[in-house]
Amino acid sequence: MDIRSVGVVGAGQMGNGIAHVFALAGYDVILTDVNEAALSNAVATIDRNIERQVSRGKVTADDKAAAMARITTTLKLAEVGPCDLIIEAATERETVKQAIFDDLLPHLKPHTILTSNTSSISITRLASRTDRPEKFMGFHFMNPVPVMQLVELIRGIATDQETWDAMHAVVRKLGKTAASAEDFPAFIVNRILMPMINEAVYTLYEGVGSVKSIDESMKLGANHPMGPLELADFIGLDTCLAIMNVLHDGLADTKYRPCPLLTKYVEAGWLGRKTQRGFYDYRGETPVPTR
Ligand code: NAD
């Protein structure tokens, strides 16, 4: 299956990273979002991030120019329909993702492969609403996409072997490594990572430690490169809460109960780095703990 054109739906932190790595690998990329500012910010971010790779000697200036020329943006979802591969990377809410796939269906080519970058939502359920569950997969990139080596490939119950093999080949062409996961809530990485982050928030909520002491403990005591609360801010607290809710609902086990303090931060609109405030306040020169 020859994949040349890639449509990316959602131009947030994941969408811009996905567009970046596909354009550098030689694919034509169309990036779409409902928010015009998200599209212009995404292009500026990609430009800045590839420039950093140029200054480190990882990419040539010619490669950068070619990659930037391969990226187009549009506010019209229908324009990504004819791509060979579509990667949905919009907000982690099932109704949002379902509406995107519903709206895309009339514009797809027969061979188009549909994928979702969802961190936790059932691939089988998203696929079942489309006209091609056999050509539907989970395609889960890690944040930040240009830096992280892993891509989780998630097989829905109906995903066929041809689609599975085609996505493995794409991951190889991107120079990344695939891990195969079955379609159960939050797959592998977030099934393990999110309960740890949620437990860190409980540790804060119960007064066992401050933001600083929790993060330092896990960095210096468990050799984690980032503390769990710093990492939660980086991922986005809305995304963390959405994943915990999927684990809680999908596995029906109280051990996945989202911490009320995580819910409170999200209700406050303190979503982490992307809103400049979460467990840390990022508005000054250096991040300051908010608790
Ligand atoms: P984000 O909030 O940075 O970006 C989401 C983007 O989707 C926004 O620009 C928003 O305008 C856009 N959007 C919302 N509704 C849309 C629609 N109907 N059509 C087109 N665009 C729409 O979120 P993000 O962190 O980039 O997460 C996106 C997806 O990637 C989620 O499914 C998330 O679970 C997953 N993911 C996130 C991370 C992470 O660390 N943040 C890691 C892996 C996967």
Side-chain angles (χ1 to χ4, degrees):
M1 196 177 288
D2 195 16
I3 293 171
R4 286 162 189 246
S5 55
V6 178
V8 180
V9 183
Q13 46 181 354
M14 295 307 291
N16 83 60
I18 293 168
H20 170 149
V21 297
F22 273 89
L24 266 185
Y27 294 94
D28 292 322
V29 177
I30 313 182
L31 184 57
T32 185
D33 202 289
V34 284
N35 177 349
E36 198 158 10
L39 288 173
S40 48
N41 287 340
V43 172
T45 302
I46 296 168
D47 191 281
R48 202 171 50 243
N49 288 344
I50 304 186
E51 189 55 42
R52 196 175 307 130
Q53 292 176 294
V54 173
S55 66
R56 289 183 183 154
K58 293 191 171 166
V59 165
T60 67
D62 286 349
D63 290 340
K64 180 192 167 193
M68 292 309 296
R70 286 188 203 106
I71 300 174
T72 53
T73 62
T74 178
L75 282 166
K76 296 189 184 121
L77 180 67
E79 288 181 9
V80 310
C83 289
D84 301 322
L85 166 65
I86 295 177
I87 305 166
E88 173 279 313
T91 309
E92 185 74 347
R93 204 171 311 130
E94 189 157 345
T95 49
V96 169
K97 294 182 186 297
Q98 281 174 347
I100 288 169
F101 289 118
D102 288 351
D103 292 347
L104 271 172
L105 285 189
H107 309 286
L108 303 179
K109 286 205 173 141
H111 70 268
T112 301
I113 293 178
L114 291 177
T115 65
S116 174
N117 185 50
T118 178
S119 303
S120 59
I121 297 169
S122 165
I123 297 303
T124 302
R125 202 162 58 234
L126 287 174
S128 70
R129 293 171 59 101
T130 72
D131 61 354
R132 60 195 68 206
E134 69 288 353
K135 288 191 189 307
F136 196 111
M137 275 183 55
F139 202 14
H140 185 219
F141 288 84
M142 309 294 134
N143 187 19
V145 182
V147 176
M148 300 294 279
Q149 183 61 25
L150 186 77
V151 184
E152 253 182 308
L153 291 180
I154 302 112
R155 195 197 287 271
I157 204 164
T159 309
D160 67 18
Q161 195 60 36
E162 192 187 3
T163 304
W164 183 251
D165 292 344
M167 287 304 96
H168 271 275
V170 169
V171 173
R172 279 195 298 276
K173 192 169 166 190
L174 295 175
K176 296 196 180 287
T177 305
S180 303
E182 294 298 321
D183 182 26
F184 290 100
F187 322 124
I188 297 173
V189 173
N190 284 313
R191 169 79 179 260
I192 299 168
L193 178 64
M194 277 308 151
M196 186 201 68
I197 287 178
N198 193 47
E199 200 60 30
V201 185
Y202 268 114
T203 311
L204 178 67
Y205 176 63
E206 291 168 9
V208 181
S210 64
V211 168
K212 188 163 175 280
S213 60
I214 292 166
D215 276 351
E216 260 181 17
S217 296
M218 294 308 285
K219 281 197 279 193
L220 303 180
N223 222 11
H224 288 195
M226 288 173 96
L229 300 173
E230 195 184 357
L231 179 58
D233 275 359
F234 186 71
I235 293 167
L237 303 190
D238 53 339
T239 300
C240 293
L241 179 61
I243 298 169
M244 283 314 298
N245 279 324
V246 168
L247 280 168
H248 192 225
D249 297 346
L251 297 169
D253 189 328
T254 52
K255 76 177 176 180
Y256 299 111
R257 194 168 60 99
C259 180
L261 185 62
L262 179 62
T263 306
K264 198 187 286 291
Y265 269 77
V266 173
E267 283 170 355
W270 292 15
L271 307 181
R273 278 185 179 270
K274 63 184 168 187
T275 56
Q276 296 209 310
R277 232 184 320 186
F279 292 112
Y280 294 84
D281 187 332
Y282 300 91
R283 291 172 299 170
E285 290 244 313
T286 49
V288 179
T290 52
R291 280 180 98 80

